[in-house]
C-alpha cells in the first residue's frame, strides 16, 4: 500500500495535477473570502466554505479521472494485478495519495480563520468544524470519483460522469422542491431508479439474470409497499433526495452544529465507494 | 514448481482455454508455443493471477494463486504481452516502485535495481523517460521489472514480438542467460525461436495442450519416418534393385532430374536414420554407381507444429488464398 501511495504522490507532484487542483481550490476559496470576509466584512469563514463547495463539481473529477482509467488505458493495471499487493491496498494507496493532495491546500486554507481572527472576532470552533466537514465532503467525493474512474478506460468519460454526478448531488436539494411529492410520483420515480440500478448491475457483473432478479425484487417490494400503505410513499422522493445530498450536510456544520451523523455519513459514503472501486477492479480479473 | 490443474477459461460462449493441465518442475527454459489465439496469453495471465480461471487451480510451489496470492506472486516475475510501463517515468523511478511493491527496501532495493539494470543493459538509459525509449529498450524495462525481487519463475509473454532482428537476438541471449538461474517460461508463435532457446516445449492449440517435451524428443517421436534424398545417374530399375537390398526402407519415390539424373526420395522407419544412409552408400558403391547427392532430411519442429496444429493451419492457408483471390480480383 505504501509503495502505491509513494508512487501516486510522486506522479501527482511531478505532473501538474496536484498544482492545478490546489490552485483551483485556493483561488475559489480566496474569491469567497474576499467577497464575504473582506468586502462584506462578515467574520464567519464557514460561509466561504459553503460557497466554495461548488468548486468540487470541477476539481474532484479533474483530480480523480485518471486514477484508474489511465492505468487501464496504458495496460499498467496488469502490473498491479501481477504484483504481490491486494486490490484493496492498491485502491487505499491511491485514495490516501489523493487525500494528501487535497490536504495540502486545505492546510493553507485552515490558516485563514487564524489570520482573520487577528483583525476581529472570529468564532473559531465553527470555522474549524466547517473546515473539518469540508475535508470530509471532499474525501467522500474523491471516493466517488475513484469509483467512476474505475468504470471506464476513458479519462474524459470518467471526468464527464464525475461532473454530472457531483452536480446532480449539489442541486439535489433544489431539485427535490420541484419534484412530485405524491405517492404515485414517488412510485414512478423509484421505478426509474430501479431500472437504472438493474442496468448498473448488468454493466458491473455482466450477469443478466442477476440484474433482472435484483430489479424484479425491488419492483415487487415497491409495489407491495404502495399497495399496503401508499401514504408511506408520500413525499418520500424529495426526502430521499435531500438525505442523499452530501453538500446539504456541510450546511449543518456551517450553521454552527457539529453533526456526528454527518461525519458518519461522509465516512460511510467514502467506504462504500472505495469498496465498490475494489469490486470494480476485481471484476476485471473475472472477465 | 508450477502445477496447473484442469484450468478452463470461457469468455461468454468462447472457450479460450480448455481443461489444461501440466506441471513445470524447477529449472530450464520452457517455451509456450501455439498459433495466434491459441490461449497462450490467457494461460499465462491465469498462472500469474492477473486473470481468474472459470474452473481449475494453479499452484506455485505449494501456494494457490487465488487463495494465497501474495506468497505465490512473490515467486513469479511476469512480463505481459504489452509491457506495463508508466511512460512518464524513468526506468529508475519505475523499478523503484515495482521493487517497493514487491517488498524490497533500502540497500537491498538499490542493490537489486542496480543488478537488473546491468543484466538488461539499461544502465545508460536509466534516466531517460520510458516513453522516449525504443521498443527494444521498453521491452528490457519490462523484463527488468519481472526480474526484481529475484523470483524463482520468470514468465515472459511474447517478449520478442515487434523487435528488430538484432534486438531479438539480444533478448534471446538474455532469456538463455536467465534460464541458468531461474525457471523461465516464455511464449512465442515463432518456431525457430523456441527451438533455439528452450529445453522443453509446450505446444498449445485451441486452448488445449497437445505436446510437452524436449524439442529433440518431439522431433523423434511425433513425426512420420525420416526421409533421405538421393541423386544418381542410374536408371530407376537399377536403383530400386539396389534399394530392395537395404533394410528399413519403407517407401521410395522417383522423379526425373536435369541431365537424365534420377532423384530418389525414400522414407525409413529406422530409429537411427544414419544406419540406413550408411547402408545405401555401401550398396551403391558395391554396384559401382556414384551417388551425386545423399542427404538426410530430419524432421524439425516446424513440421511437428504444422502437423499438430494442422486444422488451424489449413484455415489460415485458406484465408491466405482467399486474400490472394480478393487481391487479384481487385487488381
Amino acid at each position: 500500500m505504501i509503495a502505491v501511495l509513494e508512487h501516486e504522490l510522486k506522479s501527482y507532484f511531478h505532473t501538474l495535477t496536484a498544482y492545478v487542483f490546489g490552485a483551483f481550490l485556493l483561488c475559489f476559496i480566496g474569491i469567497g473570502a474576499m467577497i464575504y470576509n473582506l468586502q462584506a466584512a462578515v467574520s464567519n469563514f464557514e460561509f466561504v466554505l459553503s460557497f466554495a463547495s461548488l468548486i468540487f463539481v470541477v476539481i474532484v473529477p479533474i483530480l480523480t479521472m485518471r486514477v484508474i482509467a489511465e492505468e487501464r488505458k496504458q495496460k499498467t493495471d496488469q502490473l498491479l494485478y501481477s504484483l504481490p499487493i491486494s486490490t484493496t491496498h492498491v485502491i487505499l494507496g491511491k485514495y490516501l495519495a489523493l487525500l494528501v493532495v487535497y490536504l495540502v491546500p486545505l492546510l493553507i486554507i485552515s490558516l485563514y480563520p487564524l489570520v482573520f481572527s487577528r483583525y476581529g472576532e472570529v468564532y473559531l470552533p465553527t470555522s474549524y468544524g466547517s473546515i473539518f466537514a469540508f475535508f470530509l465532503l471532499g474525501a467522500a467525493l474523491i471516493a466517488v470519483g475513484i469509483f467512476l474512474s474505475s468504470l471506464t478506460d476513458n479519462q474524459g468519460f470518467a471526468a464527464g460522469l464525475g461532473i454530472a454526478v457531483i452536480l446532480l448531488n449539489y442541486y439535489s436539494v433544489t431539485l427535490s422542491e420541484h419534484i412530485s411529492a405524491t405517492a404515485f410520483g414517488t412510485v414512478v420515480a423509484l421505478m426509474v431508479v430501479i431500472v437504472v440500478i438493474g442496468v448498473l448491475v448488468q454493466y458491473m457483473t455482466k450477469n443478466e439474470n442477476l440484474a433482472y432478479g435484483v430489479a424484479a425484487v425491488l419492483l415487487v417490494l415497491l409495489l407491495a409497499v404502495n399497495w399496503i400503505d401508499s401514504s408511506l410513499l408520500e413525499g418520500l422522493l424529495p426526502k430521499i433526495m435531500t438525505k442523499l445530498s452530501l453538500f446539504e450536510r456541510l450546511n449543518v456544520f456551517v450553521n454552527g452544529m457539529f453533526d456526528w451523523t454527518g461525519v458518519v455519513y461522509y465516512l460511510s459514503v467514502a467506504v462504500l465507494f472505495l469498496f465498490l472501486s475494489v469490486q470494480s477492479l476485481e471484476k476485471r480479473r473475472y472477465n | 514448481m508450477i502445477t496447473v490443474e484442469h484450468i478452463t477459461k470461457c469468455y461468454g460462449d468462447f472457450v479460450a482455454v480448455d481443461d489444461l493441465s501440466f506441471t513445470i518442475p524447477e529449472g530450464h527454459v520452457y517455451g509456450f508455443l501455439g498459433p495466434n489465439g491459441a490461449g497462450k496469453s490467457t494461460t499465462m495471465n491465469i498462472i500469474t493471477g492477473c486473470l481468474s480461471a472459470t474452473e481449475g487451480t494453479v499452484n506455485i510451489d505449494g501456494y494457490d494463486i487465488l487463495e494465497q496470492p501474495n506468497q505465490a506472486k512473490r515467486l513469479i516475475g511476469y512480463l505481459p504481452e504489452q509491457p506495463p510501463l508508466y511512460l512518464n517515468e524513468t526506468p529508475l523511478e519505475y523499478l523503484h516502485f515495482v521493487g517497493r511493491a514487491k517488498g524490497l527496501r533500502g540497500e537491498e532495493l538499490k542493490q537489486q535495481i542496480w543488478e537488473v539494470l546491468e543484466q538488461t543493459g539499461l544502465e545508460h538509459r536509466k534516466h531517460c523517460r520510458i516513453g522516449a525509449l525504443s521498443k527494444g529498450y521498453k521491452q528490457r524495462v519490462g523484463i527488468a521489472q519481472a526480474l526484481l525481487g529475484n523470483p524463482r519463475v520468470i514468465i515472459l509473454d511474447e517478449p520478442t514480438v515487434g523487435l528488430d532482428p538484432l534486438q531479438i537476438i539480444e533478448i534471446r541471449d538474455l532469456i538463455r542467460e536467465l534460464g541458468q538461474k531461474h525457471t523461465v517460461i516464455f511464449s512465442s508463435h515463432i518456431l525457430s525461436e523456441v527451438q533455439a532457446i528452450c529445453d522443453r516445449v509446450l505446444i498449445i492449440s485451441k486452448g488445449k495442450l497437445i505436446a510437452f517435451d524436449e524439442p529433440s524428443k518431439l522431433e523423434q517421436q511425433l513425426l512420420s519416418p525420416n526421409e533421405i534424398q538421393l541423386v544418381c545417374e542410374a536408371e530407376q530399375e537399377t536403383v530400386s534393385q539396389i534399394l530392395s537390398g537395404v533394410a528399413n526402407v519403407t517407401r521410395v519415390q522417383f522423379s526425373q532430374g536435369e541431365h537424365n539424373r534420377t532423384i530418389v526420395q525414400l522414407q525409413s522407419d529406422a530409429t537411427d536414420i544414419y544406419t540406413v544412409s550408411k547402408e545405401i552408400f555401401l550398396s551403391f558403391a558395391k554396384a559401382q554407381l556414384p551417388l551425386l547427392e545423399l542427404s538426410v532430411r530430419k524432421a524439425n519442429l516446424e513440421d511437428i507444429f504444422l502437423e499438430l496444429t494442422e486444422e488451424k493451419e489449413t484455415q489460415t492457408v485458406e484465408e491466405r488464398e482467399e486474400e490472394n483471390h480478393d487481391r487479384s480480383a481487385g487488381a
Side-chain angles (χ1 to χ4, degrees):
Chain A
M1 186 175 82
I2 295 187
V4 178
L5 173 64
E6 273 178 13
H7 183 240
E8 290 288 308
L9 275 182
K10 226 183 253 172
S11 89
Y12 287 133
F13 286 100
H14 271 187
T15 57
L16 280 176
T17 326
Y19 304 104
V20 169
F21 175 84
F24 258 100
L25 191 59
L26 286 176
C27 173
F28 216 67
I29 296 266
I31 291 171
M34 205 174 71
I35 295 173
Y36 284 92
N37 300 129
L38 301 183
Q39 283 182 345
V42 179
S43 67
N44 304 61
F45 183 66
E46 51 273 18
F47 293 165
V48 176
L49 295 175
S50 168
F51 159 80
S53 63
L54 178 61
I55 193 66
F56 279 132
V57 172
V58 181
I59 58 173
V60 167
I62 288 180
L63 191 63
T64 59
M65 63 183 184
R66 58 166 285 281
V67 156
I68 294 166
E70 187 65 7
E71 300 259 7
R72 248 180 216 185
K73 197 168 179 202
Q74 304 289 348
K75 308 265 181 202
T76 42
D77 55 339
Q78 282 254 337
L79 176 70
L80 299 179
Y81 286 127
S82 68
L83 287 175
I85 29 177
S86 70
T87 323
T88 315
H89 282 164
V90 170
I91 294 283
L92 276 182
K94 283 175 175 288
Y95 183 61
L96 290 181
L98 286 171
L99 284 190
V100 171
V101 170
Y102 173 43
L103 262 178
V104 172
L106 211 58
L107 285 179
I108 299 173
I109 288 164
S110 57
L111 294 176
Y112 293 3
L114 282 180
V115 173
F116 292 144
S117 69
R118 288 180 62 95
Y119 302 99
E121 200 123 312
V122 178
Y123 190 57
L124 290 178
T126 312
S127 294
Y128 282 103
S130 300
I131 289 180
F132 178 64
F134 190 76
F135 166 69
L136 288 179
L137 168 64
L141 289 174
I142 288 172
V144 175
I146 291 183
F147 171 64
L148 293 176
S149 177
S150 77
L151 292 178
T152 166
D153 56 7
N154 184 334
Q155 285 193 32
F157 184 65
L161 209 59
I163 290 174
V165 166
I166 298 175
L167 200 62
L168 196 70
N169 194 283
Y170 187 82
Y171 282 115
S172 72
V173 176
T174 323
L175 279 176
S176 72
E177 288 160 13
H178 300 284
I179 265 175
S180 161
T182 61
F184 179 71
T186 305
V187 169
V188 172
L190 285 182
M191 276 179 174
V192 173
V193 171
I194 288 170
V195 170
V196 171
I197 290 176
V199 170
L200 263 182
V201 170
Q202 150 81 15
Y203 179 77
M204 291 280 297
T205 62
K206 304 264 186 271
N207 184 339
E208 274 181 30
N209 292 338
L210 184 67
Y212 281 126
V214 167
V217 168
L218 288 176
L219 268 182
V220 168
L221 269 179
L222 175 65
L223 292 176
V225 170
N226 188 35
W227 184 66
I228 293 166
D229 186 0
S230 66
S231 69
L232 279 177
L233 294 175
E234 260 167 46
L236 184 63
L237 189 63
K239 226 190 267 171
I240 291 177
M241 287 183 70
T242 318
K243 289 272 177 214
L244 281 183
S245 172
L246 287 159
F247 291 90
E248 192 55 27
R249 303 267 169 171
L250 178 65
N251 288 332
V252 180
F253 289 85
V254 169
N255 290 335
M257 214 170 79
F258 196 89
D259 178 16
W260 280 107
T261 59
V263 174
V264 173
Y265 180 62
Y266 284 138
L267 290 180
S268 14
V269 168
V271 171
L272 171 71
F273 279 94
L274 290 180
F275 171 76
L276 287 176
S277 310
V278 172
Q279 297 312 309
S280 170
L281 263 187
E282 272 302 312
K283 183 206 90 177
R284 290 269 294 190
R285 232 191 266 257
Y286 290 86
N287 284 310
Chain B
M1 185 73 212
I2 297 180
T3 315
V4 173
E5 274 173 356
H6 303 290
I7 55 167
T8 300
K9 179 74 190 174
C10 307
Y11 294 103
D13 292 334
F14 177 69
V15 182
V17 175
D18 192 0
D19 197 22
L20 200 61
S21 301
F22 56 85
T23 306
I24 291 182
E26 188 141 17
H28 303 297
V29 179
Y30 294 84
F32 225 73
L33 188 62
N36 287 326
K40 299 187 297 281
S41 293
T42 309
T43 310
M44 289 191 148
N45 276 332
I46 292 173
I47 293 177
T48 52
C50 292
L51 202 67
S52 81
T54 315
E55 265 170 61
T57 57
V58 175
N59 206 296
I60 317 284
D61 203 26
Y63 298 112
D64 189 288
I65 194 75
L66 290 181
E67 303 290 326
Q68 295 146 297
N70 289 357
Q71 287 98 324
K73 283 175 186 173
R74 265 178 224 283
L75 299 171
I76 305 177
Y78 180 42
L79 171 70
E81 200 167 356
Q82 191 178 344
L85 305 171
Y86 295 101
L87 301 179
N88 286 324
E89 294 171 11
T90 67
L92 210 55
E93 289 169 335
Y94 176 70
L95 292 175
H96 184 85
F97 163 59
V98 175
R100 290 283 286 126
K102 288 187 178 182
L104 302 171
R105 56 181 65 208
E107 272 307 305
E108 198 192 1
L109 176 62
K110 267 189 199 159
Q111 177 72 21
Q112 285 225 7
I113 290 180
W114 190 78
E115 273 172 23
V116 296
L117 282 174
E118 192 186 52
Q119 225 171 341
T120 49
L122 279 167
E123 295 115 314
H124 303 296
R125 306 294 164 107
K126 62 176 182 258
H127 292 301
C128 300
R129 215 170 58 86
I130 292 178
L133 292 177
S134 70
K135 205 161 177 200
Y137 274 104
K138 279 185 191 155
Q139 198 70 274
R140 283 157 189 252
V141 179
I143 295 178
Q145 165 271 119
L147 291 177
L148 274 181
N150 210 5
R152 281 158 68 188
V153 188
I154 291 167
I155 299 182
L156 310 168
D157 196 355
E158 308 217 341
T160 56
V161 164
L163 302 183
D164 69 38
L166 195 67
Q167 291 169 330
I168 290 181
I169 292 172
E170 288 170 356
I171 297 280
R172 282 183 193 168
D173 288 342
L174 181 61
I175 292 175
R176 224 175 273 136
E177 201 182 299
L178 292 176
Q180 289 163 4
K181 282 191 198 157
H182 312 260
T183 307
V184 181
I185 306 174
F186 83 97
S187 73
S188 174
H189 58 259
I190 304 164
L191 290 148
S192 55
E193 184 165 286
V194 172
Q195 209 162 9
I197 321 177
C198 297
D199 305 312
R200 301 263 196 298
V201 186
L202 292 95
I203 298 180
I204 179 170
S205 174
K206 291 181 179 169
K208 287 188 191 233
L209 185 70
I210 43 185
F212 183 12
D213 216 329
E214 290 170 29
S216 56
K217 280 196 183 155
L218 276 180
E219 283 167 7
Q220 269 176 24
Q221 288 173 4
L222 285 160
L223 207 77
S224 48
N226 291 341
E227 286 182 6
I228 295 178
Q229 180 169 294
L230 308 173
V231 181
C232 61
E233 278 172 334
E235 294 290 313
Q236 282 191 15
E237 283 167 28
T238 335
V239 176
S240 45
Q241 226 169 34
I242 298 171
L243 286 179
S244 61
V246 180
N248 289 328
V249 173
T250 48
R251 218 178 69 186
V252 186
Q253 271 180 318
F254 295 98
S255 53
Q256 197 65 39
E258 288 169 8
H259 309 294
N260 273 337
R261 285 169 191 148
T262 310
I263 300 173
V264 189
Q265 255 159 348
L266 57 92
Q267 290 181 340
S268 155
D269 56 4
T271 42
D272 186 4
I273 190 77
Y274 292 114
T275 58
V276 183
S277 66
K278 194 168 108 189
E279 217 174 313
I280 291 173
F281 176 84
L282 290 174
S283 319
F284 273 79
K286 215 173 178 183
Q288 299 231 317
L289 272 176
L291 277 173
L292 304 180
E293 187 189 317
L294 171 66
S295 58
V296 173
R297 200 177 79 86
K298 290 186 81 179
N300 62 19
L301 212 52
E302 191 143 8
D303 300 313
I304 299 168
F305 183 60
L306 288 180
E307 188 167 294
L308 290 173
T309 58
E310 200 168 33
E311 213 177 330
K312 180 79 194 171
E313 282 302 304
T314 47
Q315 248 178 21
T316 53
V317 168
E318 273 166 22
E319 277 163 18
R320 231 174 283 146
E321 274 169 8
E322 250 177 44
E323 252 172 49
N324 288 340
H325 185 75
D326 289 348
R327 225 175 281 152
S328 57

